Amino acid sequence: SAGDPAFRIDDLDSLFVDLQISEVDLASLQVGQKATLEFDAIADQTYNGEVTEIGMIGSVSQGVVNYPVIVRITDADGSIRPGMTATVNIITAEANDVLMAPNKAIKTSGGQQSVVVLFEGQQISVPVTVGLVGDSYSEIVSTQLREGDVLVLNGASSTSTTAGNNTTERQFIGPMGDFGGGQPPAGMP
């Protein structure tokens, strides 16, 4: 019918994902940063990408200013179709072979960060210096902790891991090969 397109031509040699990034997160982004992408319609497949453009002018949506960011998919295959929904993780910092602890074990009080270590049946607060912070784990750059130390993840008084509501959850601290990946090392609960 008149006014409707008869057909559409797409160049699928390079595929891009358009994002809207909050102004809070914008300061940590740079063109050239690597990204990982997962598509709702493509199960068990992760793709790689790269930030190619960061917009200069934001738009306001529900009181939040967002900026357009474009990520180019660097290893696209025939499974990806234009218009698919993607989850994108942009790697803003990376550290290898670091000592790390779960974020829920790190407490902040008066500007000082600390963890509670279980040592010979006693819970001891140990000050720490945190480096890179991930969604679940943070890099520990101070030397007060060692691989294998047992951290208390909540403030309960019992050290038993089997007693009902008064349980103290414990987790071993350990190294992680590629901090940017987000997965705990083998053997960590």
Side-chain angles (χ1 to χ4, degrees):
S1 61
D4 289 337
F7 59 90
R8 173 179 151 174
I9 299 174
D10 289 320
D11 178 3
L12 302 180
D13 286 339
S14 294
L15 296 178
F16 297 87
V17 175
D18 297 322
L19 309 171
Q20 292 293 317
I21 302 292
S22 166
E23 64 183 330
V24 175
D25 297 322
L26 195 67
S28 62
L29 294 184
Q30 296 177 9
V31 170
Q33 286 175 322
K34 302 299 181 201
T36 58
L37 301 95
E38 294 179 359
F39 292 86
D40 293 349
I42 306 171
D44 302 323
Q45 179 68 36
T46 300
Y47 295 91
N48 297 299
E50 179 180 17
V51 175
T52 58
E53 188 176 328
I54 300 172
M56 296 298 293
I57 299 173
S59 60
V60 179
S61 175
Q62 298 180 359
V64 177
V65 180
N66 293 307
Y67 290 82
V69 173
I70 298 175
V71 173
R72 182 177 61 87
I73 305 170
T74 57
D75 58 352
D77 60 25
S79 300
I80 301 173
R81 305 266 193 253
M84 286 184 161
T85 302
T87 300
V88 180
N89 290 305
I90 299 172
I91 301 168
T92 58
E94 200 169 13
N96 295 315
D97 299 322
V98 300
L99 189 65
M100 47 185 291
N103 289 341
K104 61 184 172 178
I106 301 169
K107 309 293 183 230
T108 303
S109 177
Q112 172 63 52
Q113 293 176 311
S114 64
V115 296
V116 176
V117 176
L118 187 63
F119 181 73
E120 295 180 1
Q122 299 293 318
Q123 295 182 17
I124 301 167
S125 180
V126 176
V128 294
T129 304
V130 174
L132 294 177
V133 177
D135 291 337
S136 301
Y137 290 85
S138 292
E139 174 188 14
I140 304 297
V141 295
S142 53
T143 60
Q144 292 89 338
L145 294 179
R146 293 175 305 207
E147 181 180 349
D149 284 348
V150 178
L151 302 180
V152 178
L153 299 182
N154 60 31
S157 58
S158 171
T159 58
S160 168
T161 58
T162 57
N165 291 336
N166 230 6
T167 299
T168 297
E169 187 178 351
R170 298 181 295 169
Q171 184 148 1
F172 292 92
I173 186 168
M176 181 169 181
D178 180 9
F179 187 71
Q183 294 296 323
M188 287 188 76

